Amino acid sequence: NILAMDASLDQPQVVFGLPIRNARLARLTRRVLIIAVLIAVLSLIPVIMGLSSGGTSLLGAAFALLLALLVPCCGYLGAKQNDSNLTACFCCCNLLGGCANIVVLILGYLALSTLRYLENCEPNSPIAEQCPPAEQWAKLCPELSAEACWEKLDSKLPGVQASFVTGAVFHIPSILLQCLGFCWGNQLYKELQQGTVLVQPLPYPTAVHVTQAQPAQALQGRV
């Protein structure tokens, strides 16, 4: 029984086709690769939507697809080849991607808040003290009157609001996943930096040749 338990513990766990003997590292690698796949899927959804609606060209979609699959490939190959550089690339891409998504959300919120603020500042209506003066309208729309500028900005409010809500639906989960990908990927990177070998080749069974005794040899043995 003890030998059977030792043999079961020595059996590697296969994670996305990668044999890993250490159970803790196998769980960590599985988390990293699952996060990488989920990030890639979330990145592909807007590309597919833009391509189907005609808002994205085929070349742009192909480039976005390449970028979306680049990060998971770094994580997978880094674990498969025990390469800390690829794992570091995976971590940095998740960190930069998370920061970029946060900046996009902040800019979108500022744009939406500005348009909502200007919505109540129609030039011909009684102007409150906090509304922009005529000079500010001239800076916002140099070629338009204050009334035309307000109408132009007010007409963009529904589209900006819809874009912000749609973007938040994709960006917020992406930020959470990228934060997890960075944290777990960083742990994997530190393990590789210490010289830990994640993936070890599976031992091939040794062929055993069995030679059967010939009838003449069997008779001689009996004699």
Side-chain angles (χ1 to χ4, degrees):
N1 294 332
I2 297 177
L3 293 177
M5 291 176 60
D6 292 340
S8 62
L9 292 174
D10 192 55
Q11 291 297 323
Q13 300 184 28
V14 180
V15 180
F16 286 83
L18 305 178
I20 301 176
R21 294 188 180 278
N22 189 296
R24 180 180 63 85
L25 295 179
R27 288 193 300 269
L28 181 60
T29 305
R30 184 180 291 107
R31 291 173 182 175
V32 170
L33 296 182
I34 289 176
I35 288 294
V37 172
L38 292 177
I39 292 174
V41 171
L42 281 178
S43 301
L44 290 178
I45 292 176
V47 176
I48 296 174
M49 293 176 59
L51 189 62
S52 60
S53 63
T56 305
S57 63
L58 186 60
L59 182 60
F63 182 71
L65 176 63
L66 179 63
L67 290 180
L69 297 179
L70 184 62
V71 177
C73 286
C74 287
Y76 181 81
L77 293 177
K80 181 179 181 180
Q81 301 177 4
N82 301 302
D83 193 332
S84 60
N85 294 325
L86 290 176
T87 310
C89 180
F90 175 81
C91 294
C92 293
C93 288
N94 279 296
L95 178 62
L96 294 176
C99 293
N101 284 327
I102 292 175
V103 171
V104 168
L105 280 180
I106 292 175
L107 293 178
Y109 177 77
L110 292 177
L112 181 60
S113 300
T114 302
L115 291 178
R116 284 179 174 175
Y117 161 71
L118 295 176
E119 185 182 14
N120 300 320
C121 293
E122 186 176 0
N124 292 334
S125 63
I127 302 177
E129 295 180 357
Q130 66 271 17
C131 289
E135 295 80 8
Q136 190 66 34
W137 288 110
K139 292 180 180 179
L140 290 174
C141 306
E143 300 178 356
L144 299 174
S145 62
E147 180 69 23
C149 183
W150 178 84
E151 291 178 355
K152 179 181 179 181
L153 295 177
D154 187 63
S155 64
K156 293 183 178 181
L157 179 59
V160 172
Q161 185 171 358
S163 298
F164 176 76
V165 172
T166 304
V169 170
F170 291 104
H171 286 303
I172 292 177
S174 295
I175 292 171
L176 296 176
L177 290 175
Q178 286 165 337
C179 290
L180 291 175
F182 171 74
C183 294
W184 289 336
N186 188 40
Q187 295 178 18
L188 201 62
Y189 166 75
K190 290 180 179 179
E191 293 287 346
L192 292 174
Q193 280 289 95
Q194 294 175 0
T196 304
V197 178
L198 294 179
V199 179
Q200 297 179 352
L202 292 173
Y204 291 96
T206 305
V208 178
H209 299 281
V210 179
T211 304
Q212 296 182 353
Q214 298 297 327
Q217 295 178 354
L219 291 176
Q220 292 177 2
R222 292 179 181 178
V223 174

